[in-house]
Amino acid sequence: MGFFQAGILGFGGVLPMARRIVVDDRRWLTQTEFNELFSLCQSLPGANITNLTAALGMRHQGVTGAAAALAGLMAAPMVIIFVLSDLYGLYGTLPTVRHGLAGLAAAAAGLLLGTAGKIAMPVWKLPRNIAISALVLTMVLALHLSLPVTMLLLLPLSLYISWRRTP
Amino acid sequence: MNILLQLAVLFGKLSLLAVGGANATVSEITRQVVDIRHWLTPAQFAQLYAISNAAPGPNVLISTIIGAHVAGIPGGIVATLAMVVPSCTLAVVVCRSFERHAAARWRRVVQAALLPITAGLVLAGAMVVARQSDTGWLTVAITLAVAGLTFRTKLHPLVLLGGGAVLGLLFL
């Protein structure tokens, strides 16, 4: 179990790294199995990487395995976050730090915008998908509906459309 | 309501709604912690979001840093568990109960249904964070440049975030 954690610890959320450890180094899964599991995790809510980690841990050692694998994945990043959060609390208001953080925040916004573009590009090849994304934007940004309400309204519609159109 | 309980309920609810990952919940997290509960100012939210991005690890760390900022280390742990455990439980159950072939069409249907929603949600989140962080021409320029570079190139996110921070230090 210890080595399982250690192995997981290394990948710190970076997917290519995870693939290398799980498939190439430890041989817990073949490439095909990894792809299967990953695409299944992608169609479920939550971060792909945490879902994959939990599913893999479960497969090997049951609930303890899933918990240990998740702990291994999250422990180091969480400690780093705690330190950063403390530093932010202590020094976040100093002028120099504030300027750096403002630039960092602007860059993070850009990163998310670019990521949205990457997700949207292939999806928006279909007009019906553009329509659904536009509805999401309207509900969230213009009508200020909550995420649960937005999902409740749009998910059935989107599921119905894709159920009719998917062979 | 006790603050830890509030964090648990807030992120627990979001966990199962995070279609396509934690980035899809950014606009809802803002709504809850900035607009409704006033735990953070818009600028603080944008900065904490940025810090959680710059740190290594999965992007559910946004829940960790907000929990930690609001209620210390216990807050961070509670928020993270709430964000991770429900979706992982679902993942574990689904991965065990679906045979590969039986799940094939079901999976394609769900994935096709979720993708346009995810695209809309991530874009909405991006607009919200951009509105919080872009207070002048330089920050707008940084956001647009990073968005373009993320979209067009494979530059490492840390390089882009670091670049933004340095520009902020030098010119703001």
Side-chain angles (χ1 to χ4, degrees):
Chain A
M1 224 48 245
F3 95 95
F4 188 82
Q5 285 180 8
I8 296 289
L9 194 74
F11 64 64
V14 188
L15 188 70
M17 200 65 157
R19 198 209 58 83
R20 215 175 65 196
I21 292 174
V22 171
V23 179
D24 298 343
D25 298 351
R26 309 268 192 196
R27 294 170 195 267
W28 284 324
L29 296 176
T30 66
Q31 184 61 51
T32 324
E33 286 173 326
F34 183 86
N35 292 349
E36 287 272 344
L37 198 61
F38 182 71
S39 83
L40 186 57
C41 288
Q42 259 187 326
S43 40
L44 297 170
N48 301 330
I49 195 71
T50 53
N51 286 351
L52 187 82
T53 306
L56 198 58
M58 187 77 184
R59 188 179 280 198
H60 282 257
Q61 301 281 334
V63 178
T64 357
L70 274 178
L73 174 73
M74 298 297 295
M78 280 177 74
V79 170
I80 294 173
I81 286 287
F82 290 144
V83 173
L84 290 175
S85 165
D86 257 9
L87 291 175
Y88 178 78
L90 288 173
Y91 305 112
T93 47
L94 295 180
T96 327
V97 179
R98 225 177 45 221
H99 292 158
L101 283 172
L104 183 71
L111 209 58
L112 194 53
L113 198 58
T115 308
K118 272 186 180 164
I119 297 174
M121 261 280 271
V123 178
W124 285 354
K125 287 201 173 113
L126 296 171
R128 62 170 187 269
N129 283 343
I130 300 181
I132 290 172
S133 296
L135 280 174
V136 172
L137 283 171
T138 315
M139 287 180 179
V140 172
L141 294 180
L143 305 176
H144 300 286
L145 295 181
S146 74
L147 184 58
V149 173
T150 307
M151 290 294 276
L152 206 64
L153 292 173
L154 283 183
L155 192 56
L157 173 73
S158 193
L159 275 172
Y160 176 75
I161 295 174
S162 95
W163 180 68
R164 293 289 302 264
R165 299 299 178 99
T166 305
Chain B
M1 208 188 340
N2 175 298
I3 193 132
L4 291 178
L5 198 61
Q6 284 190 47
L7 284 168
V9 172
L10 168 62
F11 287 105
K13 227 164 36 181
L14 292 182
S15 178
L16 292 175
L17 294 169
V19 297
N23 276 338
T25 61
V26 169
S27 63
E28 178 69 10
I29 297 177
T30 311
R31 212 178 80 94
Q32 292 285 343
V33 305
V34 178
D35 303 341
I36 298 179
R37 295 168 212 253
H38 305 292
W39 285 342
L40 301 169
T41 66
Q44 280 176 324
F45 179 86
Q47 290 168 1
L48 288 178
Y49 173 76
I51 294 172
S52 79
N53 253 263
N59 49 21
V60 293
L61 289 174
I62 178 68
S63 62
T64 318
I65 201 161
I66 288 179
H69 188 79
V70 173
I73 291 180
I77 292 173
V78 166
T80 313
L81 285 176
M83 189 74 177
V84 167
V85 171
S87 72
C88 283
T89 309
L90 181 70
V92 162
V93 171
V94 172
C95 288
R96 277 168 66 98
S97 45
F98 280 86
E99 283 296 317
R100 283 185 198 176
H101 301 293
R105 180 168 193 272
W106 166 87
R107 204 156 71 201
R108 281 208 308 278
V109 169
V110 172
Q111 214 155 13
L114 290 180
L115 277 172
I117 297 183
T118 303
L121 285 175
V122 176
L123 192 53
M127 308 280 241
V128 168
V129 182
R131 212 153 48 190
Q132 291 167 338
S133 5
D134 295 349
T135 45
W137 66 269
L138 180 65
T139 40
V140 172
I142 292 175
T143 299
L144 291 177
V146 171
L149 287 170
T150 305
F151 190 67
R152 291 259 169 227
T153 68
K154 292 195 168 170
L155 275 179
H156 197 278
L158 264 187
V159 174
L160 298 170
L161 290 172
V166 169
L167 284 176
L169 274 178
L170 292 178
F171 298 110
L172 280 177

